[in-house]
Amino acid sequence: MDKILEVQEAALEAIKQATDLESLNQIRIQYLGKKGSIQALMNEMKELPKEEKPIFGSKVNVCKQEVTSALEKRQEELEVSALSENLIKDKIDITLRESNLRLGTTHPLMMIQKEIEDLFIGMGYTIAEGPEVEEDYYNFELANIPKDHPARDMQDTFYIDPNTLLRTHTTAMQMRELEKAKGTTPIKLICPGKVYRRDDDDATHSHQFMQCEGLVVGENITLADLKGTLEHMANAMFGEGRTIRFRPSYFPFTEPSVEVDVSCPFCNGKGCSVCKGSGWIEILGAGMVHPHVLEMNGFDAEKCSGFAFGVGLERVAMLKYGIDDIRNFYINDQRFLKNFDRYD
Ligand code: DAH
């Protein structure tokens, strides 16, 4: 009987001393487990004379209940204190000084994209979006560049399989939109987005860059409409007083095709190091949508016509913000990016 009391007192003392749930569990095993002290007492009962067994048994049971309820009580206490300890540990220090926080800024390319979007939305254009992983069909075939066409060399391409590629120009989206319209006009949209070419990166080339395509199709759309639109854009992007000029060029999807120059915003056309003394800076390619492209997409080229253009956003940003290396846009150097908070 003394032994029972001894075990009980030792257990209750150990439970009182336990400082965490893990050691409490060890105590539970030590006293209440299959090989624990209380079970050992039970086993001893077999050796006792018959008449002592019931008293001994009931004492052991009392001991077991005492220990069990003390364990439960202590467990609850420890759980509560573990919780409040965690709450203290996880507390968020809201006293951090505000001036230590560095906020991100809008990426310069996104600024240019938004500026162009706002400008064209103001002129009644809609904005189209499309896949960067594109079918050869939209990127080349529908743009009047069949498989063996030498113009494919103009755009070194990342192919995924013979029919799938990373789009080399947003002109792919022009084709998707033309096809989607099923010969109905008017169409008036721009499509900004990322494009990819197998170029070696240097100060003026990047294997990933951004373009914005423009497309207008309707009745009596002329080269003069294209010129007026692009002149408006040049003035909005590079400041009032810009003029533009067209130089004949070649793109398979336009006829005629032009290269568009803007009068140099740095010297006002007088000639400087940026425009290499010419007074003009090339900014984009454009033209009248090729009648064959219209026909391939289900339009009657006798009844409607259209203009299109494709402008490189890095080029615009570089001119506008005086950036001399295209790689700056893609290396996420905070010293470069944080310069643009003043435009945000
Ligand atoms: N897709 C051409 C390029 O990436 C740019 C371009 C030129 C787009 C003329 C046009 C266009 O829509 O009419 O070099």
Side-chain angles (χ1 to χ4, degrees), residues 155 169 171 174 197 211 213 251 253-254 285-287 308-310:
Q155 301 182 357
H169 51 183
T171 305
Q174 185 191 140
R197 290 190 201 171
Q211 286 188 333
E213 193 83 1
F251 299 105
F253 33 90
T254 42
F309 61 87

Side-chain angles (χ1 to χ4, degrees), residues 33-313:
K34 273 201 200 106
K35 293 184 183 148
S37 316
I38 294 176
Q39 189 57 44
L41 290 172
M42 287 290 200
N43 296 342
E44 278 178 32
M45 198 163 69
K46 286 185 224 130
E47 262 106 84
L48 290 175
K50 216 170 168 197
E51 60 282 8
E52 284 181 22
K53 277 186 187 175
I55 310 167
F56 188 87
S58 75
K59 290 253 165 160
V60 174
N61 269 336
V62 170
C63 164
K64 193 173 174 182
Q65 275 160 17
E66 291 284 320
V67 172
T68 306
S69 75
L71 267 171
E72 279 168 5
K73 203 165 139 247
R74 187 76 187 129
Q75 170 146 357
E76 235 170 72
E77 284 167 9
L78 289 176
E79 275 170 359
V80 169
S81 70
L83 182 67
S84 52
E85 228 169 76
N86 277 344
L87 286 177
I88 290 166
K89 243 198 306 185
D90 293 347
K91 203 168 91 177
I92 298 168
D93 181 3
I94 56 165
T95 61
L96 191 64
R97 276 179 51 207
E98 172 220 343
S99 58
N100 289 344
L101 294 173
R102 285 247 303 273
L103 287 180
T105 52
T106 308
H107 194 277
L109 291 175
M110 287 301 107
M111 288 183 184
I112 298 292
Q113 176 174 337
K114 181 151 191 321
E115 214 177 309
I116 294 180
E117 285 178 356
D118 286 350
L119 179 71
F120 279 91
I121 286 171
M123 292 193 280
Y125 286 60
T126 55
I127 296 171
E129 267 181 77
E132 288 166 34
V133 177
E134 185 53 284
E135 293 171 37
D136 181 279
Y137 180 66
Y138 293 107
N139 198 83
F140 289 129
E141 298 280 332
L142 271 189
N144 215 12
I145 316 175
K147 286 251 167 353
D148 53 356
H149 198 288
R152 287 209 178 200
D153 289 347
M154 286 161 74
Q155 301 182 357
D156 236 338
T157 310
F158 286 114
Y159 274 94
I160 290 161
D161 63 43
N163 294 315
T164 320
L165 44 78
L166 295 184
R167 69 179 174 196
T168 60
H169 51 183
T170 44
T171 305
M173 269 308 295
Q174 185 191 140
M175 299 313 145
R176 278 182 178 269
E177 290 296 321
L178 283 172
E179 186 189 59
K180 207 159 82 187
K182 295 199 170 69
T184 56
T185 59
I187 299 174
K188 213 172 156 189
L189 57 88
I190 58 165
C191 170
K194 296 191 192 88
V195 297
Y196 303 86
R197 290 190 201 171
R198 269 181 46 196
D199 268 332
D200 290 326
D201 294 354
D202 61 24
T204 53
H205 295 86
S206 171
H207 61 280
Q208 176 194 315
F209 56 106
M210 291 194 74
Q211 286 188 333
C212 182
E213 193 83 1
L215 173 69
V216 173
V217 182
E219 279 171 33
N220 302 319
I221 302 292
T222 69
L223 204 63
D225 296 316
L226 173 65
K227 193 162 187 194
T229 305
L230 293 180
E231 197 156 67
H232 182 61
M233 176 165 99
N235 277 286
M237 303 298 291
F238 298 112
E240 287 300 315
R242 294 304 101 219
T243 51
I244 59 165
R245 71 174 184 187
F246 282 177
R247 279 181 293 109
S249 184
Y250 172 76
F251 299 105
F253 33 90
T254 42
E255 180 57 38
S257 303
V258 292
E259 214 92 55
V260 183
D261 298 341
V262 60
S263 60
C264 179
F266 297 97
C267 60
N268 228 350
K270 287 189 204 72
C272 67
S273 62
V274 180
C275 60
K276 300 196 180 78
S278 73
W280 296 96
I281 295 177
E282 185 190 319
I283 53 161
L284 56 86
M288 300 305 291
V289 181
H290 198 297
H292 188 225
V293 170
L294 288 175
E295 300 279 354
M296 271 194 292
N297 282 295
F299 290 83
D300 184 346
E302 296 289 326
K303 293 211 178 97
C304 65
S305 54
F307 70 68
F309 61 87
V311 56
L313 299 195

